[in-house]
Amino acid sequence: MVVKVELLRENNITAILLAGGKSSRFGKDKSRLKLKDKSLTYYQYKKLKKIFKNVYISSKKDKFDFNAPIIYDKQKEYLPIFTLINLIQKFHTIFIMPVDVPLLSKKSIKKLLKQKTTTHSFLGVYTYKDLQKLKQNIKNKNYSPKIGKKELKIDKKELINLNYKDEYKKHLYKIKKSL
């Protein structure tokens, strides 16, 4: 198993952790939630570093409790599709993951990489070939990243999204256990 991890770290795909949202439904910045002694962003970043050679955090500002490379999202809007387009233009092929999907396993990340596909909103592999479809979505006032790719089926327990505090409280034990 260690060999597979090393092989993945050799690839040219850059991982981006999306951590620049408003967290308006949650009521406070989810990226800074404390789990044990560190932030949610810290643990998500470390998970990605075990798989990818290059990992960046996309955020509107540096608000983190550790050192990591940040790509500053300069969009006024809080619409991740614009960030996604900018990141694809910069890196050509990216793996993108929202910070608030803490139960996604390394095994599922590797499956997404192997199949070069997506699942869930703003989660998976996007390439330069996807740009036209993403731009067409915007032109049609559709701000979804869904572009007709065959989506990988992942256990919905892994795709729990922390949009509300009650979801966080409900799954806190599982989240801490997965760290």
Side-chain angles (χ1 to χ4, degrees):
M1 188 66 116
V2 173
V3 174
K4 288 184 181 182
V5 171
E6 290 304 316
L7 287 173
L8 283 171
R9 286 183 55 108
E10 302 282 327
N11 71 32
N12 292 326
I13 296 176
T14 297
I16 310 288
L17 184 59
L18 290 176
K22 287 196 296 189
S23 302
S24 54
R25 291 175 285 184
F26 196 86
K28 69 180 194 174
D29 190 343
K30 294 181 279 188
S31 71
R32 298 178 69 177
L33 286 174
K34 289 290 182 193
L35 301 170
K36 296 185 180 181
D37 61 335
K38 299 283 186 185
S39 67
L40 174 60
T41 303
Y42 171 83
Y43 290 108
Q44 293 289 68
Y45 178 80
K46 290 298 182 187
K47 181 190 303 183
L48 291 174
K49 279 302 284 181
K50 290 178 182 174
I51 300 168
F52 297 91
K53 189 174 180 179
N54 299 308
V55 180
Y56 296 88
I57 299 172
S58 174
S59 180
K60 295 202 180 285
K61 60 183 179 180
D62 186 352
K63 54 187 175 177
F64 307 106
D65 58 350
F66 64 102
N67 291 324
I70 297 173
I71 295 176
Y72 292 97
D73 178 1
K74 296 182 174 146
Q75 300 291 326
K76 290 180 185 177
E77 304 88 359
Y78 282 87
L79 292 169
I81 193 166
F82 293 112
T83 303
L84 178 59
I85 288 170
N86 290 335
L87 292 167
I88 293 169
Q89 288 172 332
K90 180 175 179 66
F91 295 107
H92 292 236
T93 301
I94 61 170
F95 177 84
I96 195 158
M97 183 173 94
V99 72
D100 60 356
V101 184
L103 296 176
L104 185 67
S105 70
K106 287 179 249 161
K107 181 179 176 182
S108 292
I109 292 170
K110 291 174 189 177
K111 284 182 185 177
L112 286 162
L113 281 171
K114 185 176 180 182
Q115 296 185 24
K116 293 196 182 334
T117 194
T118 61
T119 187
H120 197 262
S121 193
F122 296 100
L123 176 58
V125 177
Y126 287 89
T127 69
Y128 206 77
K129 294 177 188 174
D130 299 326
L131 274 178
Q132 286 308 109
K133 291 178 182 176
L134 290 165
K135 289 178 179 180
Q136 187 62 46
N137 280 3
I138 291 171
K139 187 176 178 181
N140 296 336
K141 299 198 183 311
N142 171 7
Y143 301 107
S144 166
K146 296 193 182 287
I147 52 173
K149 281 187 170 189
K150 183 180 177 191
E151 293 189 355
L152 182 68
K153 299 282 186 229
I154 292 178
D155 186 334
K156 65 182 180 180
K157 293 175 189 169
E158 287 189 49
L159 296 175
I160 290 166
N161 188 274
L162 303 178
N163 283 325
Y164 301 96
K165 284 183 183 174
D166 61 330
E167 290 170 329
Y168 170 68
K169 290 175 186 173
K170 179 180 176 185
H171 299 290
L172 185 57
Y173 176 77
K174 283 188 266 183
I175 294 167
K176 285 185 175 182
K177 190 176 167 189
S178 73
L179 302 176

